[in-house]
Amino acid sequence: MVEIASTDRVFILTGAGISAESGIPTFRGEGGLWRSYRVEEVGTPEAFRRDPRLVWEFYSMRRRVASAAKPNPGHVALAKLERALEDRLFLCTQNVDSLHEQAGSKRVTHMHGELFKSRCDSCRRAPFDDANTYEPPAEIPRCECGGRIRPHICWFGEVPFDLDRIFQALEECTVFVAVGTSGVVEPAASFVAHVRRRARTIYVGPEEPANKFAFTECHLGKAGEMLPNLFPG
Ligand code: OAD
């Protein structure tokens, strides 16, 4: 169990691993999405300009998989922790699924965007809820301004969302917990190095992450099995 004092502020960073037990594939490792798809073809702004249909096929597939998924005990444990700590907990996820919200988390920062939102790639219209799939022969949707509608996702080469709020929360935290993330994608991989001199740093996942040197504790195991015991609420 992780002891949390009444003065602690907890920053949680989740990655694809927390949703693995819900049936959503991770990116790297066995069965990972980047083993079957090339990121240059489906996960960059250039890819969308070159072949928007292929990009939408990829995100349509991911919308279908994520719509069928349910939160697992790992998501539920973090929602329970938020109820106990209220605004002393900052939940930042690299995941674009909505399983944290479905488990009951109220304040989730999606630094890589949200799978069930779309936006225009040319005008400033706000991102909007969109659970549709756009696959051939369907046309790529267009905005009223004529621009193409794209997934509300941070692609490689783009700046993640909400970095100001994230770095403020990192400054304030006294306990940093990363769950199910391989520790290779920046800037998230460096959050732990940013806080390690003044915060307890804890990793939870079945294998050590690439940035394991920066963690003071590694709890090896699946998120759905470990988190309810580490954070019983
Ligand atoms: P990765 O696919 O790189 O890593 C998944 C991590 O989850 C690995 O460290 C696994 O050991 C761990 N894992 C697997 N099963 C788990 C389980 N049951 N419980 C806990 N952990 C488990 O995914 P991320 O680190 O999240 O970005 O990837 C970061 C970013 O790279 C993603 O947000 C995505 C990707 O390219 C964008 O699309 C912008």
Side-chain angles (χ1 to χ4, degrees):
M1 179 174 153
V2 174
E3 294 289 341
I4 298 174
S6 61
T7 50
D8 276 329
R9 297 188 80 85
V10 180
F11 187 112
I12 310 246
L13 171 69
T14 62
I18 194 161
S19 296
E21 288 157 85
S22 297
I24 299 184
T26 61
F27 294 93
R28 296 167 187 83
E30 210 179 311
L33 285 175
W34 296 151
R35 294 258 174 120
S36 317
Y37 296 87
R38 284 164 56 83
V39 68
E40 306 80 20
E41 286 175 3
V42 294
T44 68
E46 294 74 28
F48 189 67
R49 278 197 290 275
R50 199 171 46 236
D51 194 347
R53 283 171 167 248
L54 181 65
V55 174
W56 264 121
E57 262 184 80
F58 177 65
Y59 284 97
S60 296
M61 175 278 287
R62 292 184 59 195
R63 281 182 178 178
R64 266 199 312 278
V65 170
S67 325
K70 298 271 176 297
N72 67 57
H75 298 102
V76 172
L78 296 184
K80 218 165 140 192
L81 188 64
E82 184 192 68
R83 283 197 289 281
L85 300 181
E86 299 182 327
D87 62 1
R88 290 191 294 120
L89 180 117
F90 189 92
L91 177 56
C92 174
T93 185
Q94 295 167 89
N95 297 348
V96 296
D97 65 55
S98 55
L99 296 182
H100 282 305
E101 287 88 343
Q102 285 181 48
S105 288
K106 301 278 182 234
R107 290 178 301 265
V108 186
T109 298
H110 283 273
M111 65 180 289
H112 288 164
E114 292 177 70
L115 188 56
F116 295 104
K117 286 189 178 172
S118 299
R119 69 174 197 261
C120 177
D121 77 345
S122 77
C123 77
R124 288 180 166 270
R125 171 183 173 187
F128 56 91
D129 292 341
D130 185 10
N132 294 321
T133 53
Y134 303 105
E135 287 161 299
E139 285 301 308
I140 303 295
R142 292 266 179 188
C143 176
E144 286 162 13
C145 79
R148 283 205 180 94
I149 297 296
R150 59 166 277 179
H152 183 50
I153 299 285
C154 169
W155 284 325
F156 282 87
E158 297 185 316
V159 179
F161 302 102
D162 294 317
L163 286 181
D164 288 351
R165 286 200 305 124
I166 290 170
F167 276 96
Q168 188 185 335
L170 286 168
E171 288 296 324
E172 292 168 356
C173 81
T174 54
V175 180
F176 175 91
V177 186
V179 183
T181 176
S182 53
V184 296
V185 175
E186 296 293 355
S190 294
F191 290 172
V192 63
H194 192 77
V195 301
R196 66 193 277 242
R197 282 201 187 77
R198 32 176 197 81
R200 276 149 68 202
T201 53
I202 298 164
Y203 182 78
V204 183
E207 51 199 0
E208 289 173 335
N211 53 358
K212 65 169 186 196
F213 66 88
F215 290 94
T216 42
E217 293 171 37
C218 272
H219 296 272
L220 294 184
K222 293 181 174 180
E225 292 166 10
M226 305 295 284
L227 291 177
N229 295 322
L230 291 170
F231 301 104

